[in-house]
Amino acid sequence: MTIREKLAALAANLWWSWNPEVLDLFRRLNPSAFDTSDNNPLAALEEADPALLDDKKFGRDVDTAYEAFQEYLNSSPRYADAPRVSYFCMEYGLHESLPLYAGGLGILAGDHCKAASDIGLPFTAIGFFLREGYFSQHFDGSGWQQAEYPVIDPRRHPLTLVRAQNGAPLIITVHLGRQPLYLIAWRLQVGRTTLYLLDTDFGANPGELRFLTRRLYQGGGIARIQQEIALGIGGLRLLRALGVETDVYHMNEGHCAFLTLELLRERLGVGHTLEVAEDWVREHTIFTTHTPVMAGHDRFDPRLFTEQMAAFREQLGFDERHLLSYGRVNPDDMTESFTMTVLGLKMSRQANGVSSLNGEVARRQWHHLYPSRPVDEVPIGSITNGVHLPTWTAPLARAFFDQRLGNWLERRDEAAFWQQLDKVSDKDLWQYRSTLRKTFVDYVNEIAPRQTLPQTARLDSDALTIGFARRFAPYKRATLIFRDLERLARLFEAEGRPLQIIFAGKAHPDNYDGSRLIQQIYEFGKHPALEGRVLILENYNVAVARMLISGSDVWLNNPRPPMEASGTSGQKVTVHGGLNLSILDGWWPEGYDGQNGWAIGEAEADPNRGELDAVEAQDAADAASLYHVLENEVLSAFYERGDDGLPHRWIAHMRAAMTTLPHAFSATRMVSDYVEQMYCVDCYAEAGA
Ligand SMILES: *Cc1c(COP(=O)(O)O)cnc(C)c1O
């Protein structure tokens, strides 16, 4: 193979997205094409410097990368005879150049695909080709968010149109009511995982339907149910057309749960009785729920559902009421909506929440579906989310672990590997943290003046640096730390204890309250004590996230409990020696051990507490706790220096975090848990015990 052919093969697989040395090769091909395309290898390859392609040294580097790639593709699987999994999710966050996601759910699904590939699981994923998936964020002079939707051009990305035997694009048909909707699909290779992206945006569909797969979570109920018909029913039909064999269907969130009705239709079609068909569907599907917020579960008006499912229902031979019953808690209640989560729960053999606490919340949330059982016997378990460490670990950190602890990529899931940090001196660990912080601070100081938001960065590379980045949904309480502005100002003004906080995140463009929260942070940041040290980084995406999670000393997370299903951003900081300062919500009650970070608020979130009556009181108490911990524990540990100038107490916290958290909250651990506890319970009964 020529060098160009090897580069083309590398560019065609998103394996590069977690191999920075491979991305670096592409960057060398044409740095400006690479940088201006959000680090897109294909863009750099198209405009490659021809001299470099003939360069011997460069050629050897390409050979090395290509060999590593082949070795990865051929590495032995963690499980022999693992079940074949088809995974359905509405969004996938894989790399900044291909934003097919809106938030944490998508990032999680992307990490799931990558980790499934790492452990060699036979895994196929289904989603949407969201051409306008993720808006890019700018601001007007008042700090008000502006959304722009850049359009993804498939020719600029490693996307292959799926074709039928005769070479024509493969077309899948579903019905919206009685109207046909046509779907094509794009193939995206993510290591050993194949991701198929459904697409309605082509000439066979009328204008309003072409838009269905362009953006996520649009408008009202009609577009939403139509999207979900396309994903669940269309996705399964695509798998059938491709001949992808599947032992277990994983529904990640309720959006795709119509796939169970399509499975049911297939079984009835081969002559099963209703009872046998339903059992078969349950036997082959599992369901993951993510949302403690009741309003976050899709539910459709019974008339809308009946209208949109008309042709499908007739094929099934069901009456309206019977079809509705699959998504109703009480099938006799003719006013009850059709709820996708109810469908997912009723038609799967197992269901789970995404952290232990979230599982508990979900059991209470859906207890009314199982009235004869005590709440702890509601059949919803939990598997705690994790992050794909190769994607989220900064190159500098990877090199540090390789040098100090041995092959980190191979051994990252072993507790014993991380325990070797005992061998690393306080001085070296501090040097590690300081370099990561300085890299981040330099980055912020450099890009802040180029952003649309008028801010002057005055960051100090030795100052305690707090990061906060997430979707600006009100329950995440992004402005909690400003609740007592004078108290916060005193912390900023304390002599010899400089402090800086970097925010990032997007608000849903239709959400006024979310946009207002960002604007408020911008306004608070003008307080004389805070100015230049409270900054907002624009356009939070995977690339910005990588900088924030590797550079921050402290990762702040203060949602209103128990609304955070898991949260994963705090898991990304741990390999970098970043410390979580978080409400005991989501994953943190499982991670926090008293030494490896800090808890805000008194006790663990009470899963009994729904929407709080006493929101104000809760916010006041949590803010008071936050200030207290920040002043007396966080700042004091960071600025308490020994005779050697090192913050030994801080370094002990770092060591604890790096030793206890990365392997426990990694996506390969998560996917292994899914294999052993959900995908194939019988196969791995011993392993799970
Ligand atoms: C990790 C990540 C998220 C999810 O983080 P949360 O803790 O759930 O808020 C969202 N967006 C991006 C870009 C991320 O990298």
Side-chain angles (χ1 to χ4, degrees), residues 333-392:
D333 177 357
M334 288 301 111
T335 62
E336 188 181 327
S337 303
F338 186 97
T339 303
M340 297 302 277
T341 301
V342 173
L343 174 63
L345 288 171
K346 283 190 175 183
M347 294 303 277
S348 55
R349 71 169 180 224
Q350 265 180 291
N352 70 299
V354 291
S355 67
S356 174
L357 179 63
N358 179 237
E360 233 175 292
V361 172
R363 286 192 286 281
R364 281 169 214 275
Q365 197 175 19
W366 298 104
H367 189 196
H368 56 301
L369 198 52
Y370 310 90
S372 62
R373 303 190 191 201
V375 70
D376 24 325
E377 285 172 29
V378 169
I380 304 176
S382 69
I383 288 180
T384 303
N385 286 345
V387 294
H388 187 243
L389 291 173
T391 294
W392 296 108

Side-chain angles (χ1 to χ4, degrees), residues 40-178:
N40 179 351
L42 264 189
L45 183 58
E46 268 168 23
E47 295 173 50
D49 169 5
L52 202 57
L53 292 173
D54 294 330
D55 182 86
K56 283 249 160 52
K57 163 86 175 68
F58 185 77
R60 278 197 303 275
D61 291 346
V62 173
D63 288 340
T64 307
Y66 186 78
E67 275 160 34
F69 176 50
Q70 294 306 317
E71 197 180 312
Y72 174 83
L73 293 178
N74 296 317
S75 60
S76 32
R78 182 175 291 185
Y79 297 94
D81 301 320
R84 294 161 298 186
V85 180
S86 289
Y87 180 89
F88 285 63
C89 186
M90 197 105 127
E91 46 174 303
Y92 293 86
L94 295 156
H95 186 254
E96 58 271 22
S97 63
L98 199 55
L100 306 165
Y101 72 105
L105 178 70
I107 300 284
L108 175 80
D111 280 8
H112 198 115
C113 291
K114 293 171 180 175
S117 165
D118 289 349
I119 67 169
L121 200 64
F123 194 85
T124 305
I126 302 280
F128 278 161
F129 182 32
L130 302 159
R131 282 173 205 254
E132 301 179 13
Y134 200 47
F135 68 88
S136 76
Q137 177 195 50
H138 306 283
F139 289 92
D140 70 12
S142 75
W144 195 256
Q145 173 184 284
Q146 313 286 310
E148 235 180 83
Y149 288 87
V151 181
I152 300 173
D153 177 353
R155 290 166 302 185
R156 303 272 289 167
H157 297 274
L159 293 162
T160 317
L161 185 61
V162 176
R163 293 179 185 277
Q165 302 259 301
N166 66 4
L170 180 68
I171 295 182
I172 301 296
T173 311
V174 296
H175 281 86
L176 309 173
R178 296 182 196 290

Side-chain angles (χ1 to χ4, degrees), residues 175 177-179 306-316:
H175 281 86
R178 296 182 196 290
Q179 180 182 16
T306 301
E307 174 197 297
Q308 290 295 320
M309 298 292 275
F312 184 80
R313 180 179 60 74
E314 284 158 18
Q315 282 179 32
L316 275 167

Side-chain angles (χ1 to χ4, degrees), residues 474-522:
Y475 81 84
K476 304 234 186 196
R477 297 193 295 191
T479 54
L480 191 74
I481 199 169
F482 302 103
R483 205 181 148 90
D484 182 345
L485 196 55
E486 291 317 309
R487 176 136 192 219
L488 183 64
R490 286 198 298 278
L491 291 180
F492 270 85
E493 284 164 337
E495 194 56 36
R497 292 169 74 157
L499 174 62
Q500 51 206 12
I501 313 181
I502 318 298
F503 288 88
K506 294 174 177 175
H508 190 289
D510 301 337
N511 184 332
Y512 176 88
D513 293 339
S515 296
R516 179 65 191 134
L517 286 171
I518 308 179
Q519 188 178 43
Q520 282 173 331
I521 292 170
Y522 176 61

Side-chain angles (χ1 to χ4, degrees), residues 101 103-104 107 134 392 469-471 476 540-542 545 555 564 567-570 572:
Y101 72 105
I107 300 284
Y134 200 47
W392 296 108
R470 38 192 48 85
R471 214 157 33 82
K476 304 234 186 196
Y540 184 48
N541 65 8
V542 172
W555 194 251
E564 185 88 295
T568 55
S569 55
K572 299 169 190 163

Side-chain angles (χ1 to χ4, degrees), residues 81-88 121-126 194 196 232 235-251 259 263 266-267 280-281 283-286 349 679-680:
D81 301 320
R84 294 161 298 186
V85 180
S86 289
Y87 180 89
F88 285 63
L121 200 64
F123 194 85
T124 305
I126 302 280
T194 305
Y196 291 101
L236 190 66
R237 290 183 184 170
L238 175 70
L239 290 179
R240 294 296 182 255
L242 293 167
V244 175
E245 295 194 39
T246 302
D247 300 309
V248 57
Y249 300 88
H250 183 172
M251 299 181 276
L259 94 88
L263 286 170
E266 287 183 341
R267 290 294 113 190
W280 190 97
V281 175
E283 208 40 55
H284 290 83
T285 53
I286 67 147
R349 71 169 180 224
Y679 294 158
C680 202

